[in-house]
Every structure is written in structure tokens, then in C-alpha cells.
């Protein structure tokens, strides 16, 4: 019997597991895929928003501003890639000025620090690649970029180190209310828990229905992106937004923490898991981005992808106890700025669980600290020392991203070891560069198989069943066979 079962291992579920692991709480996270952070959490703009966008008084506004503050410290403590680079919302017309001033006022009400409106000369000095038509902008110095999937997996790892449990490949199929709490039917058998928290992203309405809660629906909405090579990564120094519209924050241009340039997203209603990209969608993204930064070279695009917003029929985040089922809590409808808000939501849900009767004694095993060796960022002396300590740091596996065998082996022996080639890519970046894994993919697969003691055929590209090796193309004869 667990104290708390969390359904969904996105950034919301992982943040909650982390916050619960500060206490002597017997918590489990149930995730249907073979890794955490693989749904919306891995496919978004990766911006830690400053918090001027949500309407004052909403849960979104409160959690965003608090989350922005918490994430900076969290990334420091757990060694998560993060850069506080600030953002601009560009204005091109008198109508845009009204919107930029409205956002400024909202930001002041929401408590966003350092906001100001900058005029053309200063704007173009700070960001020389902008289109000449950009006349003014809202500047938010507290906006940042982060590695979004690492924000999830690092918190989950730290929670597991503190004694929490993560069950992967565990799909929740039904939930029964009992006298003691809940019996959860999963693809791995029954799990019992006193409290259940629904953090199932685009599937959170289906999970709510399992306990008879029909109070909201999710209308999935897709956003498509270009990811450009590091050759384009220094084109802009800040996150560049345009004025938001009814359907979202519009198309942005931004450096990523890995040194790439990200461009997107659009907004199209879709199905819960439909992450296909379309020629029309990408063309709209490209045109909108060129309005802000005309010199983007889309020939240097190395990847397109799409993410799905969990837009709820209620116009705010849905965080708190279910009205139809005692002991059942939602973290649902977490569209943007959900990444920025997740750690603040998690702290609030812990308080709610405590009010509902969960005891919160301090957990002596919780450290809240993590250190990761990233060879690429070491100077020559640091690299030499690393190699002396472990010769595997001397073997470069991914040439595009300068990732060593030692870093891959480290990731495979941390507490929440990935089991797929893309899982390793998300932990330590082999395959994230210009060749997109063409060179290092098979070598990563071999290292995973060796370290986990399984045949190479059992190492998928990403989700379970995404086979890389289907069979032999030629009969292989051992020496001595005829
Ligand atoms: C295009 C786009 C751009 C965005 N940009 C930003 C941004 O720049 N900044 C920002 O702050 N926010 C942004 N967001 C929002 C942010 O990405 C999300 O709010 C956040 O990732 C949601 O996390 P989550 O944990 O709620 O959901 P998810 O990451 O979707 O996780 C839900 C998990 O539940 C699991 N699950 C579902 N059903 C079951 C089941 N039956 N059993 C077990 N597990 C189940 C899924 O496999 C998944 O892993 C953006 C979103 C999109 C789509």
C-alpha cells in the first residue's frame, strides 16, 4: 500500500515525486512508457517563462512566477542545463504597442521582476539580428531556457535516490475506490494507494473518468517546430516572441541550452498522441519566424518535431482535489506555461495532500543534490583529470556533440537508467547533433546492451517496440563452421 500514487511521468508527475521525496512518504510514479519525460515534456519550446502572459489571479499566473524562481535554484541543485537569457515580446505596430503595454501591466500585477519596455535603438543594440520592422519590445530578464526532459528525469532520479519508486511500462487501465484508498489496475498488475494524483497530460481526462469525474475534457492542440544546427544557435541571444494571440504565445525564435536554435510553434487542434509534422504547418512557422529574424537559415534545420498541448475545457490549470472522488487529485490541463510552473504546482499539491491527512515527516535520505560530468564543457585540464579518473571519458562516441563513452555508462548506472538509444540521447546528448545519431546510434546501442547485459536486438530506438534491429541481412558463420 503506497501513501501516494502519481499517474504520469511528465514534468508535473516527476516534480511532485521529487517534492514528496523530501518527506517520509511512500510514493510511486506510474508511467506507461519506458522512460519519464517522453510526452509533452520532451516536445515544447523549453522556455521558463517570466510570467507576464497569464491573466492575473489565475493559477497559471501564480504557479508560473513562483515556478520561474524555483527552477533556477532546482537547476543549480540538480545540475540541469539552464540559462537565464531573458526574453523580448516584439512590437511591429501601434496595435502591438497596446498589447505590449497590457502584458507589462499584467506582469507587474503578477509580480514579475525587472520588466520594462525597450524602444527600437536599444532593442536592436541588444539583439542585432531582429527585423528592422521591430519597433519596441517588452523585455523580461527573468525568462530562461532549460533542458525540459532533464527537468523531469533529474527530479525523478533524485526522488528515487531518496527512496521513491518509479514504475515504467506501467499503463493505468482502471481505478477502483476502496475503503483504504484506491486499487489501480495497471498493465503490470494492481497497485494500491491511499491518495492518487492524476498527472497524465493529454490523457488526464480519461484518467479522471476512471473515478467518475467528468468535470473537464482535454482538447489536444499541436505545435510544430524546426530545430536548427548550432551554426544558427548564436543568431539571437534572447528568447524572441511576437505578440500573443487567442491561440497561444505565437512563434518564437530562441537559443536552446544545447546551443541550437529553436523556431516554433504553431497551434492546430489534433488527437492526443498525434505528433506528426505537416508541410503546411511548418511553412506557417517559417514565415512567422522570418518576420522577427529575417536571416534564419532554414537549410541548417536538423530536425522537425511536434508537441501536444493539454488544453482543458476549463480555462486555467486544474490543480487540486477532484470534486467527485475523495482522495483523488488532479494536475491536469497543464498547457503552457506548464513546464515553468510544474515545480510550484508540485509544492502546492504536497500542501493539499498534507491538508487531506498525509503525514510529512522529514526524509533523512533526501539530498536534493546531483552532479553530472559533461565532458564537452570541461577545459583541457578538466578533461585530462576526467580521463585519468575513468579512461572511458577518453573515448568519444558522438563526434557532433563530443559525448564520451564514460558519460553514457554513467547515465546507464544512475538510479533511473534509460533503456533506449533516445533515452541515452535525452540523458547525455549523443545523437543530438548535425548527423542526428547516424554515426553514434549503433555504438550507443552496443554500449546499452553491454551495460544492461541484454542482446542488442532488445535495445529500442525509443518507446518499447521501436525496434532498430529486425533480423540478419546475411547469414553469419562462426569460425570453423562450413
Ligand atoms: C508546443 C508546446 C510548447 C510549449 N512550450 C512551453 C514553454 O516554452 N514553456 C512552458 O512552461 N511550457 C510549455 N509548454 C507546456 C509544457 O510542455 C507542458 O505544460 C508540460 O510538459 C506538461 O507536463 P505534464 O507532466 O503535465 O504532461 P506530459 O509531459 O504529457 O506527461 C504526462 C505523462 O502521463 C503519461 N500517461 C498518460 N496516460 C497514462 C496512463 N494511462 N498510465 C500511465 N501513464 C500515463 C504519459 O505517457 C506522459 O508521460 C508547451 C507545450 C507545447 C505542446
Amino acid at each position: 500500500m503506497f501513501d501516494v500514487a502519481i499517474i504520469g511521468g511528465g514534468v508535473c508527475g516527476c516534480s511532485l515525486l521529487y517534492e514528496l521525496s523530501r518527506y517520509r512518504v511512500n510514493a510511486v510514479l506510474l508511467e506507461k512508457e519506458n522512460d519519464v519525460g517522453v510526452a509533452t515534456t520532451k516536445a515544447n519550446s523549453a522556455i521558463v517563462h517570466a510570467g507576464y502572459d497569464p491573466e492575473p489571479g489565475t493559477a497559471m499566473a501564480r504557479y508560473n512566477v513562483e515556478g520561474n524562481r524555483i527552477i533556477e535554484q532546482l537547476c543549480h541543485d540538480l545540475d540541469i542545463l539552464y540559462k537565464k537569457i531573458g526574453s523580448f515580446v516584439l512590437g511591429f505596430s501601434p496595435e502591438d504597442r497596446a498589447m505590449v503595454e497590457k502584458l507589462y501591466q499584467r506582469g507587474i500585477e503578477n509580480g514579475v521582476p525587472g520588466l520594462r519596455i525597450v524602444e527600437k535603438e536599444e532593442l536592436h543594440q541588444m539583439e542585432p539580428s531582429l527585423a528592422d520592422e521591430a519597433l519596441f519590445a517588452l523585455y523580461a530578464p527573468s525568462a530562461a531556457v532549460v533542458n525540459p526532459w532533464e527537468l523531469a528525469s533529474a527530479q525523478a532520479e533524485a526522488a528515487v535516490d531518496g527512496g521513491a519508486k518509479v514504475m515504467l511500462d506501467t499503463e493505468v487501465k482502471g481505478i477502483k475506490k476502496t475503503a483504504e484508498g484506491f486499487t489501480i489496475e495497471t498493465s503490470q498488475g494492481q497497485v494500491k494507494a491511499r491518495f492518487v494524483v492524476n498527472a497524465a497530460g493529454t490523457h488526464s481526462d480519461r484518467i479522471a473518468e476512471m473515478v467518475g469525474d467528468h468535470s473537464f475534457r482535454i482538447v489536444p492542440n499541436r505545435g510544430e517546430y524546426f530545430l536548427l544546427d548550432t551554426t544558427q544557435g548564436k543568431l539571437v541571444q534572447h528568447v524572441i516572441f511576437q505578440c500573443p494571440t487567442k491561440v497561444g504565445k505565437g512563434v518564437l525564435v530562441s537559443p536552446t541550452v544545447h546551443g541550437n536554435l529553436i523556431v516554433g510553434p504553431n497551434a492546430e487542434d489534433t488527437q492526443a498522441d498525434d505528433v506528426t509534422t505537416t508541410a503546411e504547418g511548418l511553412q506557417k512557422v517559417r514565415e512567422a519566424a522570418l518576420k522577427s529574424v529575417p536571416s534564419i537559415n532554414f537549410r541548417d534545420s536538423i530536425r522537425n518535431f511536434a508537441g501536444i498541448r493539454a488544453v482543458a475545457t476549463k480555462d486555467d490549470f486544474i490543480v487540486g482535489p477532484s470534486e467527485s472522488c475523495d482522495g483523488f487529485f488532479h494536475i491536469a490541463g497543464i498547457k503552457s506555461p506548464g513546464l515553468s510552473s510544474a515545480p510550484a504546482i508540485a509544492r502546492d499539491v504536497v500542501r493539499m495532500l498534507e491538508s487531506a491527512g498525509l503525514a510529512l515527516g522529514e526524509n533523512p535520505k533526501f539530498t536534493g543534490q546531483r552532479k553530472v560530468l559533461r565532458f564537452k564543457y570541461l577545459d583541457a585540464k578538466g578533461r585530462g583529470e576526467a580521463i585519468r579518473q575513468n579512461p572511458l571519458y577518453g573515448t568519444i562516441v558522438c563526434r557532433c556533440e563530443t559525448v564520451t563513452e564514460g558519460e553514457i555508462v554513467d547515465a546507464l548506472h544512475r538510479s533511473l537508467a534509460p533503456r533506449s538509444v533516445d533515452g541515452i540521447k535525452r540523458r547525455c546528448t549523443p545523437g543530438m547533433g548535425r548527423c542526428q545519431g547516424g554515426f553514434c546510434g549503433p555504438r550507443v546501442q552496443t554500449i546499452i546492451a553491454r551495460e544492461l547485459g541484454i542482446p542488442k536486438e532488445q535495445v529500442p530506438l525509443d518507446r518499447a517496440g521501436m525496434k532498430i534491429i529486425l533480423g540478419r541481412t546475411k547469414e553469419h558463420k562462426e569460425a570453423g563452421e562450413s
Side-chain angles (χ1 to χ4, degrees):
M1 183 83 172
F2 290 96
D3 295 322
V4 183
I6 303 165
I7 304 173
V11 69
C12 290
C14 293
S15 297
L16 180 58
L17 193 71
Y18 177 73
E19 286 302 328
L20 284 171
S21 71
R22 291 178 188 277
Y23 309 101
R24 281 181 205 263
V25 171
N26 187 13
V28 64
L29 184 145
L30 311 172
E31 167 54 53
K32 72 181 164 75
E33 304 297 343
N34 63 359
D35 198 359
V36 294
V38 294
T40 304
T41 294
K42 80 160 187 195
N44 53 61
S45 307
I47 313 299
V48 183
H49 291 287
Y52 51 76
D53 199 51
E55 292 272 4
T58 59
M60 279 196 274
R62 185 161 53 90
Y63 291 134
N64 185 166
V65 176
E66 195 189 337
N68 176 291
R69 196 176 43 74
I70 298 173
I71 286 175
E72 184 170 9
Q73 183 64 44
L74 190 62
C75 290
H76 176 265
D77 292 346
L78 297 184
D79 201 359
I80 297 166
L81 290 177
Y82 166 94
K83 283 184 192 161
K84 195 172 181 175
I85 58 174
S87 69
F88 288 118
V89 180
L90 303 184
F92 295 89
S93 67
E95 296 80 54
D96 284 354
R97 176 150 325 249
M99 175 53 88
V100 162
E101 281 173 1
K102 187 168 153 187
L103 294 176
Y104 172 79
Q105 286 306 336
R106 268 193 209 167
I108 299 297
E109 270 192 68
N110 291 345
V112 179
L115 278 184
R116 65 192 176 91
I117 295 176
V118 296
E119 298 300 332
K120 186 167 181 181
E121 193 182 340
E122 186 184 0
L123 173 62
H124 285 260
Q125 264 169 17
M126 289 173 83
E127 203 54 274
S129 298
L130 293 181
D132 192 49
E133 291 78 8
L135 302 176
F136 51 88
L138 176 66
Y139 175 50
S142 62
V145 291
V146 69
N147 182 348
W149 51 86
E150 195 182 17
L151 188 59
S153 62
Q155 291 191 83
E157 259 178 35
V160 171
D161 288 340
K165 188 164 182 193
V166 172
M167 291 175 66
L168 299 172
D169 293 315
T170 305
E171 181 172 2
V172 171
K173 292 174 174 288
I175 305 171
K176 213 163 67 209
K177 181 90 179 102
T178 61
E180 300 79 36
F182 297 88
T183 299
I184 307 168
E185 297 294 339
T186 82
S187 52
Q188 305 284 348
Q190 283 188 346
V191 173
K192 293 181 189 231
R194 191 172 154 214
F195 296 103
V196 173
V197 182
N198 168 20
T202 53
H203 293 250
S204 53
D205 51 352
R206 298 178 205 180
I207 297 291
E209 280 168 16
M210 291 178 188
V211 292
D213 184 338
H214 306 281
S215 58
F216 65 94
R217 268 189 316 108
I218 297 294
V219 185
N221 184 277
R222 182 178 53 196
E224 296 165 80
Y225 289 92
F226 289 91
L227 186 72
L228 285 90
D229 189 27
T230 47
T231 50
Q232 298 288 303
K234 292 198 167 51
L235 194 56
V236 292
Q237 311 302 317
H238 305 83
V239 184
I240 310 294
F241 293 103
Q242 295 172 4
C243 280
T245 61
K246 263 187 256 152
V247 286
K249 296 183 190 65
V251 169
L252 63 81
V253 179
S254 174
T256 70
V257 284
H258 297 107
N260 301 82
L261 190 78
I262 189 169
V263 176
N266 58 343
E268 297 282 339
D269 283 348
T270 182
Q271 307 298 316
D273 297 316
D274 181 10
V275 287
T276 47
T277 53
T278 63
E280 310 83 69
L282 291 170
Q283 182 57 18
K284 281 189 199 150
V285 168
R286 182 198 303 250
E287 282 164 13
L290 291 173
K291 184 177 168 198
S292 301
V293 184
S295 53
I296 301 169
N297 183 0
F298 280 95
R299 288 179 151 226
D300 275 348
S301 172
I302 55 172
R303 187 108 183 167
N304 294 119
F305 67 91
I308 311 292
R309 301 175 183 88
V311 180
T313 40
K314 291 185 177 171
D315 198 23
D316 199 355
F317 291 162
I318 302 165
V319 177
S322 161
E323 283 168 16
S324 6
C325 183
D326 233 22
F328 193 91
F329 291 75
H330 297 299
I331 305 180
I334 311 297
K335 56 182 180 178
S336 185
L339 187 67
S340 320
S341 308
I345 295 175
R347 287 188 185 182
D348 208 19
V349 172
V350 171
R351 286 189 282 269
M352 292 174 193
L353 286 164
E354 188 184 22
S355 304
L358 182 70
L360 297 181
E362 210 175 294
N363 177 7
K365 279 177 77 186
F366 176 83
T367 65
Q369 296 291 322
R370 190 187 77 136
K371 197 82 202 119
V372 179
L373 186 138
R374 300 179 211 266
F375 191 82
K376 180 178 167 174
Y377 300 123
L378 297 177
D379 59 15
K381 189 164 164 262
R383 289 181 177 191
E385 274 166 16
I387 294 167
R388 262 191 301 281
Q389 215 184 71
N390 177 0
L392 291 182
Y393 294 126
T395 307
I396 303 288
V397 174
C398 168
R399 293 179 188 171
C400 303
E401 291 294 307
T402 321
V403 183
T404 65
E405 184 169 358
E407 291 163 271
I408 296 170
V409 171
D410 287 349
L412 285 165
H413 293 287
R414 287 208 294 268
S415 51
L416 198 60
R419 307 163 189 186
S420 67
V421 171
D422 279 2
I424 282 293
K425 174 165 129 182
R426 286 189 291 273
R427 295 305 189 288
C428 55
T429 75
M432 285 222 7
R434 198 175 178 97
C435 91
Q436 288 285 290
F439 171 76
C440 65
R443 301 178 69 195
V444 171
Q445 190 184 19
T446 304
I447 297 167
I448 297 173
R450 182 191 75 207
E451 294 298 315
L452 300 185
I454 55 175
K456 261 203 289 195
E457 291 79 350
Q458 283 179 20
V459 179
L461 177 64
D462 195 1
R463 296 178 176 194
M466 287 176 75
K467 286 189 170 185
I468 302 172
I469 298 174
L470 298 174
R472 291 186 186 281
T473 51
K474 286 184 188 162
E475 274 310 311
H476 172 77
K477 293 200 174 99
E478 296 296 334
E481 278 183 299
S482 54

